[in-house]
Each structure stands twice: as C-alpha cells, then as structure tokens.
Amino acid sequence: DADVTQTPRNRITKTGKRIMLECSQTKGHDRMYWYRQDPGLGLRLIYYSFDVKDINKGEISDGYSVSRQAQAKFSLSLESAIPNQTALYFCATSDLQSLASNEQFFGPGTRLTVL
Amino acid sequence: GENVEQHPSTLSVQEGDSAVIKCTYSDSASNYFPWYKQELGKRPQLIIDIRSNVGEKKDQRIAVTLNKTAKHFSLHITETQPEDSAVYFCAAFFSGGYNKLIFGAGTRLAVHP
C-alpha cells in the first residue's frame, strides 16, 4: 500500500547537536508538510512544500530547516538542537491533483528528545 | 491571524452517550474543515470532513455541522464506544496565500464502559 514513512522513529540527542529527520512517501503526492505535536498545543506547521522547487515557512519555522530532495522525500533539520524542540514530529502529504479532498496523510511520527 | 480554537480539551463520557466537540475559526474564507482522530501512539487519521457549501454531513455514528455565519463547526459522536477513545483534532483550510491547514489544540475523549 502507498504510504508515508519517517526515519528515525525515536531519537535522543544532546543540546547543540545537528539532527535530520527524514520523510519518504510512495503516494505520488506533490505536497509535503512537517508538523510538531506538543501536549495541549495540537499540530503546528513547521514547513511545507508544494513541489521540489517550492519551500514555505509555517507557523513555527525558527530553529528548523528543510530540504525537498525529490518529489517523494522531504527532510527536516535541526541545526543546533535545544531542549524545547523535544516533541513528536509528523510528516504529512496531500494530493495537489485531488479536487475532492484536501486530506492530509500522516507518517507514523518521530519522537525526538533533546537533553 | 489564522487561528482555530477547539473545546473542550478533555471530555469524559459513559459508553452509549453522545460526545460533542466544538471549534471556531478566524478566516471567513476558509472552505474545508476536516476532523482527525489520533489513537494512542498512532498517527492522526481523517474521520470526516465538510466543505463550506454544506451545513451538515453524517457518516454512521459521526456527524459534523458547520455554521459559516458564526464561523464554527462541531463533531458529534453518538452511541459512543470504548474504541472511540482518542484525541480528536479539528482543522480549517486557510486559502490566503499558500493553502494550508491550521489545527485546533485537540480534545482528549475518554469513553468509559
């Protein structure tokens, strides 16, 4: 089945380290997103991309960067991790060509802990 | 700015009772309103959605209503079952600039047998 996958699923790192979270999808979707989830704050958009040449900041992009290496791959980097970036990170995709739905399909999530 | 408020943050009901979750949004141009369910340790998944040209949509035990004038929409779950226990997120599709979904903070629903 077409799916959205994320690696790693869990990561513990130290303050100041560079971290990359990767997202791949086999759905053939053009649009990809990175969210972080914190208790009581819901899902907040970090960055999103509508195609390989398109990158846009979301609500909370400070301290993060992204790279859209291919239609199927969208990676999120923390250049210098800090403890308040400890969260659950989700990648999501949606289909530009679908007029019936703006549904987003989520990956399984990456739990990141910054000590 | 773009904002979606969701209430309540937690909801506890007895099995068989109904549950209602409410959301308000800030952008009157929003035209798509999905609801996602996230079970413990799982990814969010779409359970129902509604577009701005429709006032109500129903799918078995779940329904969503939309009041465009008041800019609020609600999720209704009838005859709740323990497997309905999860976190539910509403969202609104903001079309200004680049199209994107803004999510509410979530409601943790607990259904007690």
Side-chain angles (χ1 to χ4, degrees):
Chain A
D1 287 340
D3 200 6
V4 183
T5 58
Q6 293 181 233
T7 56
R9 295 293 311 279
N10 288 281
R11 182 71 183 269
I12 299 174
T13 191
K14 295 182 178 180
T15 297
K17 293 292 187 180
R18 184 178 188 274
I19 294 297
M20 180 180 286
L21 309 184
E22 298 188 351
C23 177
S24 294
Q25 52 112 348
T26 56
K27 289 187 168 293
H29 290 170
D30 297 289
R31 301 181 176 187
M32 298 187 74
Y33 310 81
W34 275 104
Y35 293 91
R36 66 175 278 175
Q37 183 177 19
D38 300 275
L41 294 177
L43 293 155
R44 293 183 293 166
L45 185 63
I46 306 172
Y47 270 96
Y48 57 110
S49 169
F50 284 178
D51 64 41
V52 174
K53 298 179 181 179
D54 177 80
I55 301 290
N56 307 284
K57 292 183 177 180
E59 304 168 73
I60 52 165
S61 59
D62 288 348
Y64 301 95
S65 62
V66 291
S67 175
R68 185 81 183 266
Q69 301 96 321
Q71 187 204 33
K73 297 184 181 295
F74 191 37
S75 59
L76 176 71
S77 294
L78 288 68
E79 296 301 325
S80 179
I82 57 177
N84 76 0
Q85 291 178 314
T86 293
L88 182 58
Y89 290 84
F90 284 102
C91 174
T93 71
S94 67
D95 184 5
L96 174 66
Q97 303 305 321
S98 172
L99 298 179
S101 171
N102 301 106
E103 179 178 1
Q104 293 191 9
F105 296 84
F106 286 83
T110 295
R111 186 167 296 282
L112 176 65
T113 302
V114 184
L115 302 176
Chain B
E2 303 150 345
N3 188 44
V4 176
E5 294 190 359
Q6 181 172 349
H7 300 280
S9 57
T10 60
L11 181 59
S12 182
V13 300
Q14 291 296 125
E15 183 177 0
D17 288 350
S18 296
V20 180
I21 303 170
K22 298 181 180 182
C23 290
T24 59
Y25 58 97
S26 58
D27 183 2
S28 58
S30 296
N31 59 4
Y32 173 69
F33 307 92
W35 286 88
Y36 284 80
K37 176 183 180 182
Q38 185 181 27
E39 297 177 353
L40 188 63
K42 300 288 182 65
R43 70 188 80 183
Q45 291 192 304
L46 181 73
I47 54 170
I48 194 168
D49 56 14
I50 191 168
R51 295 196 170 274
S52 58
N53 58 347
V54 176
E56 183 174 359
K57 184 176 180 181
K58 189 173 182 180
D59 183 3
Q60 298 183 333
R61 295 187 297 108
I62 60 172
V64 58
T65 58
L66 172 65
N67 182 327
K68 289 173 55 180
T69 303
K71 292 189 288 186
H72 68 70
F73 56 112
S74 300
L75 177 71
H76 304 254
I77 306 175
T78 58
E79 301 173 23
T80 54
Q81 301 170 2
E83 52 264 41
D84 295 328
S85 296
V87 178
Y88 292 82
F89 293 99
C90 64
F93 189 72
F94 287 82
S95 57
Y98 283 104
N99 299 341
K100 56 186 177 183
L101 278 178
I102 301 295
F103 286 84
T107 296
R108 183 172 298 278
L109 172 65
V111 180
H112 302 285

